[in-house]
């Protein structure tokens, strides 16, 4: 089989999967999750990429981007990424279009690795074979029993010693319940496991400082988006006045965003399904390292596992409940988080080794 060739086609589809029940964080509620799937074809191989975004991202990938990518050298992923970024200038890169660019880029990296018959970590250049994960869910809609069951499954069932729950319920109007849930989480997981919280930007600055100081007393070590990630000064204030690490970055779509954010957080987050795919995520990791920071991969664990193994300043990958559930049920080649780590590429399969089960997901197809 040829190791090169021209990209022959870009197939795009979208699927909306219902959640197990109503879910919410501090600033949003939802009952379904949509995944946009991109498949790039060349030389009898198919590269798979995806993003978690409304189905409109599929229209952008199949319409705005497909013509730019088809016919390009399948080895030239960086060139394709640059061509897409330039072409979407007037369409607006943040949001749906950025998610579409990201899904295509992920598919092209996977395609290149498959054509070269190497696992993605080997193609990019791995620095580790074990990628730490943390369990993430703990939605504000969960009652205490449900929350305890989920936390126990991660900590005792899978040996994951870092877990995160949502706080900031009702835009920060239920602080006592937030803290009660944190106490319950700590009692459930015991004193040894690391406890993280995510407010999704629900609090005001001073409110976040007060909550953060209470969290310090409960042994919380990670306070994600205590205020809006657009409030850079607010993030700086909370970071400087609380002992727990203040983190943000999941809404970054370009490098200038990460450059602005890095000076005001303790750990930079980036999401490859939004920030330009694996190409953008690697560059975000470099921005973090230039500021003396570690990077944490936001959501979509199987998108991130392989590229996360290739940066020296990785903290961990988020094993997000909704996405892990979908990727385990509707993708082939899902990884096992038991022991609190993923081992991408260990089976020697080319690319990221995953495929999408279109037939099983057909009832949920929306594009």
């Amino acid at each position: 089989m040829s190791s090169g060739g021209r990209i022959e086609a870009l197939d795009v589809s979208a699927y909306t999967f219902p959640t197990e029940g109503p879910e919410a964080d501090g600033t949003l509620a939802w009952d379904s999750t949509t995944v946009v799937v991109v498949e790039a074809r060349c030389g009898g191989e198919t590269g798979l990429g995806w993003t978690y975004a409304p189905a409109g991202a599929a229209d952008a990938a199949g319409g705005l981007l497909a013509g730019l990518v088809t016919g390009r050298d399948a080895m030239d992923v960086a060139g394709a990424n640059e061509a897409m970024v330039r072409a979407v200038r007037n369409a607006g890169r943040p949001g749906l279009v950025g998610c579409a660019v990201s899904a295509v880029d992920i598919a092209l990296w996977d395609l290149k690795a498959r054509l070269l018959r190497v696992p993605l970590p080997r193609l990019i250049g791995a620095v580790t074979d074990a990628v730490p994960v943390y369990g993430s869910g703990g939605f504000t809609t969960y009652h205490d029993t449900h929350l305890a069951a989920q936390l126990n499954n991660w900590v005792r069932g899978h040996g994951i010693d870092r877990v995160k729950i949502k706080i900031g319920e009702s835009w920060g109007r239920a602080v006592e319940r937030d803290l009660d849930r944190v106490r319950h989480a700590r009692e459930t997981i015991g004193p040894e496991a690391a406890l993280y919280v995510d407010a999704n930007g629900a609090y005001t600055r001073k409110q976040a400082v007060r909550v953060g100081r209470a969290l310090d007393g409960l042994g919380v070590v990670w306070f994600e988006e205590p205020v809006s990630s657009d409030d850079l000064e607010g993030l700086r204030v909370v970071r400087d006045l609380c002992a727990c690490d203040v983190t943000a970055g999941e809404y970054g779509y370009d490098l200038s965003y990460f450059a602005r954010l890095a000076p005001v957080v303790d750990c930079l987050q980036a999401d490859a399904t939004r920030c330009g795919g694996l190409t953008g995520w690697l560059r975000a990791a470099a921005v973090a390292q230039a500021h003396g920071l570690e990077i944490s991969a936001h959501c979509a664990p199987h998108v991130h596992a392989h590229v996360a193994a290739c940066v020296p300043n990785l903290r961990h990958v988020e094993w997000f409940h909704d996405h892990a559930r979908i990727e385990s049920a509707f993708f082939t080649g899902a990884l096992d988080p038991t022991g609190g780590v993923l081992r991408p590429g260990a089976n020697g399969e080319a690319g990221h080794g995953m495929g999408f089960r279109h037939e099983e997901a057909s009832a949920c197809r929306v594009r």
Side-chain angles (χ1 to χ4, degrees):
M1 179 180 293
S2 171
S3 62
R6 301 283 171 178
I7 298 166
E8 299 156 8
L10 202 68
D11 300 328
V12 184
S13 52
Y15 301 82
T16 296
F17 301 102
T19 58
E20 295 169 317
E23 296 178 353
D25 56 33
T27 56
L28 187 69
W30 63 95
D31 59 10
S32 64
T33 300
T34 298
V35 56
V36 173
V37 176
V38 173
E39 292 164 305
R41 305 189 188 279
C42 174
E45 296 287 353
T46 300
L48 173 67
W50 66 98
T51 184
Y52 292 96
D59 298 331
L64 186 61
L65 303 178
L68 291 171
V69 171
T70 303
R72 294 189 67 94
D73 185 341
M75 297 293 105
D76 186 17
V77 179
N81 185 284
E82 184 64 18
M84 290 190 289
V85 168
R86 292 184 180 187
V88 303
R89 187 197 70 179
N90 290 349
R93 183 176 174 183
L96 291 177
V97 173
C99 291
V101 170
S102 300
V104 174
D105 180 90
I106 294 161
L108 296 183
W109 273 105
D110 185 40
L111 177 63
K112 180 176 180 177
R114 290 174 190 262
L115 289 167
L116 294 173
R117 298 180 180 271
V118 296
L120 257 178
R122 183 177 172 192
L123 174 63
I124 299 170
V127 297
T128 183
D129 60 1
V131 175
V133 299
Y134 69 91
S136 172
F139 304 114
T140 60
T141 49
Y142 283 1
H143 50 70
D144 287 352
T145 303
H146 191 167
L147 177 62
Q150 186 179 70
L151 296 174
N152 270 314
N153 180 57
W154 287 326
V155 175
R156 296 179 178 88
H158 286 92
I160 301 173
D161 61 359
R162 312 165 196 86
V163 295
K164 185 174 80 179
I165 70 169
K166 300 290 191 179
I167 61 171
E169 183 176 345
S170 302
W171 284 88
R173 296 185 179 92
V175 173
E176 286 307 312
R177 183 168 190 268
D178 290 338
L179 295 178
D180 283 344
R181 294 178 67 251
V182 174
R183 292 186 192 98
H184 178 61
R186 172 53 73 197
E187 291 168 0
T188 300
I189 66 176
E192 299 302 323
L195 181 56
Y196 298 177
V197 299
D198 183 359
N200 288 99
Y203 298 129
T204 63
R205 292 181 187 180
K206 287 191 175 181
Q207 186 183 29
V209 170
R210 291 191 295 269
V211 170
R213 288 175 172 168
L215 295 174
D216 291 341
L218 295 169
V220 172
V221 295
W222 172 282
F223 194 1
E224 186 173 331
E225 286 191 331
V227 297
S228 169
S229 55
D230 294 326
D231 183 7
L232 300 183
E233 182 58 27
L235 288 169
R236 186 194 304 275
V237 167
V238 180
R239 181 200 63 183
D240 290 348
L241 294 177
C242 297
C244 50
D245 282 356
V246 167
T247 70
E250 66 188 72
Y251 300 113
Y253 288 90
D254 55 44
L255 288 186
S256 62
Y257 176 94
F258 297 114
R260 293 192 300 272
L261 194 60
V264 300
V265 296
D266 294 300
C267 182
L268 191 66
Q269 295 174 277
D271 187 330
T273 74
R274 296 173 177 171
C275 72
L278 305 189
T279 301
W281 196 88
L282 286 166
R283 292 171 180 172
V287 170
Q289 189 168 17
H291 285 83
L293 299 178
E294 291 178 317
I295 190 164
S296 178
H298 173 263
C299 289
H302 291 90
V303 164
H304 291 107
H306 299 76
V307 71
C310 300
V311 296
N313 59 323
L314 175 74
R315 183 171 297 195
H316 40 42
V317 170
E318 181 174 15
W319 189 261
F320 181 58
H321 174 69
D322 284 353
H323 297 175
R325 181 177 67 89
I326 290 170
E327 290 167 10
S328 296
F330 295 102
F331 290 72
T332 61
L335 299 170
D336 183 358
T338 298
V341 296
L342 303 175
R343 299 188 182 278
N347 59 9
E349 287 193 29
H352 52 54
M354 301 190 74
F356 188 76
R357 295 185 170 110
H358 288 279
E359 186 174 345
E360 289 85 344
S362 60
C364 296
R365 183 163 182 170
V366 293
R367 286 286 192 282

